[in-house]
Amino acid sequence: MTDFAPLSAARRWALGSGDKPPASLGRFELKTQLGRGAQATVWLAVDPRLQREVAIKLMRPLQDQDPSVLEPWLREARHVGRLAHSNIVPVFEADVQGLQPYIVFEYVPGRTLAAHLAQQGRCTPHDAVAFMLEVLDGLQAAHQAGIVHRDLKPSNIMVDVHRHARVMDFGVAAPVQGASDPQQISGTPAYMAPEAVEGAAPTPAMDVYSAALVLIELLTGKPLIHQTDPWQALYRVAHEDLALPDDLGPGVDDGLRAILQRGMARRPSERYASAAEFRDALRAWAAPASAPTAASNATLDFLLRRMRHKSD
């Protein structure tokens, strides 16, 4: 990591000196803004050394030289840097230029699942399940590496040009069974598990719950918890027993409804024990005659991907 330096062009821009980004950040040439959030912006950039496009996440600039302020930023880089899976967007490197922290990711051409839903509306059941199978594959890899995502939602899932789902944004991820803190909750309220709202220690069951809510949204075209006010959303999660919508779209039978109901069970002990178990239940629903072998799972995944491209 580079030493801290005087105020850089990147920091002056990040502090609000203008809408145009600096021409470069380290060796990277910034080109186009891809997204903006409360804590960071994401840019398309070029790495001239390796001659490839990358995505760069610019964090809020440092206000002092206390190394502890880097910890939330480093946490995401460390978590994602430990993961190598085709359904997770990988991190290439992390650094500080001047006082500007940034993380370099693989650039994934495509759009978020949220944008996909906004453009085309609800998915067919097999289309939705095909996306979720890939999301759960990525989550299972993270859980096996000891990481809970804690903020799974449609805007944190990329759909690439080949229509594969890839999980991203591990900014609030935490170690499995990390410290509990009732005073500190992390995630997006509309997708948080009830125990996460109470500040319970991170577990894979939290991501299973969020994945079930995302799958419901894929089927209905709208979030199950629709309140835009975060406190109203948190109240519903904390106090209500959420029910499945009556209209989940044509093709959703009692079997799929039962899978969704278990995935979003209020008590963690009543949910699927792992992302892999949730994934396998969805696979069995999509192809009930298939034996649970590696070969049949690969064939099913291939067929589901084709169904996303072929009208027949």
Side-chain angles (χ1 to χ4, degrees):
M1 184 175 295
T2 57
D3 294 331
F4 294 115
L7 196 64
S8 64
R11 185 180 182 226
R12 289 195 300 272
W13 165 77
L15 286 172
S17 60
D19 294 329
K20 187 176 180 180
S24 63
L25 188 65
R27 72 174 189 273
F28 301 99
E29 301 169 4
L30 301 187
K31 297 298 184 183
T32 307
Q33 182 175 300
L34 299 175
R36 175 184 291 272
Q39 301 297 323
T41 54
V42 179
W43 292 83
L44 173 65
V46 173
D47 181 349
R49 182 178 300 169
L50 298 180
Q51 296 184 346
R52 65 181 177 186
E53 291 183 319
V54 296
I56 296 185
K57 185 175 185 178
L58 296 182
M59 314 303 290
R60 295 181 64 179
L62 302 174
Q63 301 302 314
D64 54 52
Q65 297 186 13
D66 181 358
S68 66
V69 301
L70 287 175
E71 187 53 37
W73 166 74
L74 285 172
R75 187 186 308 121
E76 178 177 13
R78 289 168 180 159
H79 285 329
V80 186
R82 293 164 54 187
L83 304 175
H85 193 275
S86 59
N87 296 119
I88 295 176
V89 178
V91 64
F92 291 151
E93 61 181 273
D95 205 345
V96 176
Q97 178 73 22
L99 297 181
Q100 175 64 66
Y102 64 92
I103 305 176
V104 183
F105 296 89
E106 175 187 346
Y107 171 57
V108 180
R111 58 188 178 184
T112 66
L113 200 53
H116 182 81
L117 281 171
Q119 180 170 331
Q120 75 162 42
R122 64 166 58 178
C123 300
T124 66
H126 282 84
D127 196 350
V129 167
F131 281 130
M132 188 49 59
L133 288 176
E134 294 178 332
V135 170
L136 291 169
D137 269 341
L139 289 177
Q140 179 64 18
H143 297 164
Q144 289 178 327
I147 298 168
V148 180
H149 189 286
R150 296 205 301 173
D151 197 21
L152 188 73
K153 55 186 177 181
S155 59
N156 283 343
I157 300 169
M158 282 295 298
V159 180
D160 66 23
V161 293
H162 302 294
R163 295 176 64 84
H164 292 296
R166 307 184 69 181
V167 181
M168 64 179 184
D169 202 340
F170 284 73
V172 297
V176 174
Q177 294 297 343
S180 60
D181 185 357
Q183 303 302 316
Q184 180 68 39
I185 59 175
S186 298
T188 301
Y191 300 90
M192 292 175 65
E195 68 274 17
V197 173
E198 297 172 357
T203 66
M206 294 179 179
D207 286 346
V208 167
Y209 183 94
S210 300
L213 265 58
V214 171
L215 181 51
I216 293 169
E217 186 167 344
L218 290 175
L219 293 168
T220 63
K222 54 188 177 182
L224 183 61
I225 297 179
H226 59 273
Q227 281 76 13
T228 56
D229 181 275
W231 295 109
Q232 291 180 357
L234 285 172
Y235 183 88
R236 286 197 63 189
V237 174
H239 297 94
E240 291 186 20
D241 291 326
L242 300 179
L244 282 175
D246 292 332
D247 180 17
L248 288 173
V252 176
D253 57 15
D254 289 343
L256 184 52
R257 293 183 72 92
I259 292 171
L260 292 169
Q261 196 71 62
R262 183 174 175 184
M264 61 176 285
R266 186 170 187 80
R267 296 178 180 176
S269 61
E270 297 176 357
R271 293 177 212 146
Y272 291 102
S274 66
E277 188 176 326
F278 189 10
R279 175 201 62 201
D280 292 345
L282 291 173
R283 277 178 172 159
W285 174 84
S290 297
T293 64
S296 66
N297 286 340
T299 301
L300 172 60
D301 290 344
F302 169 76
L303 291 173
L304 288 173
R305 287 195 297 271
R306 278 189 61 85
M307 291 176 72
R308 294 206 292 260
H309 294 278
K310 303 293 185 180
S311 60
D312 59 351

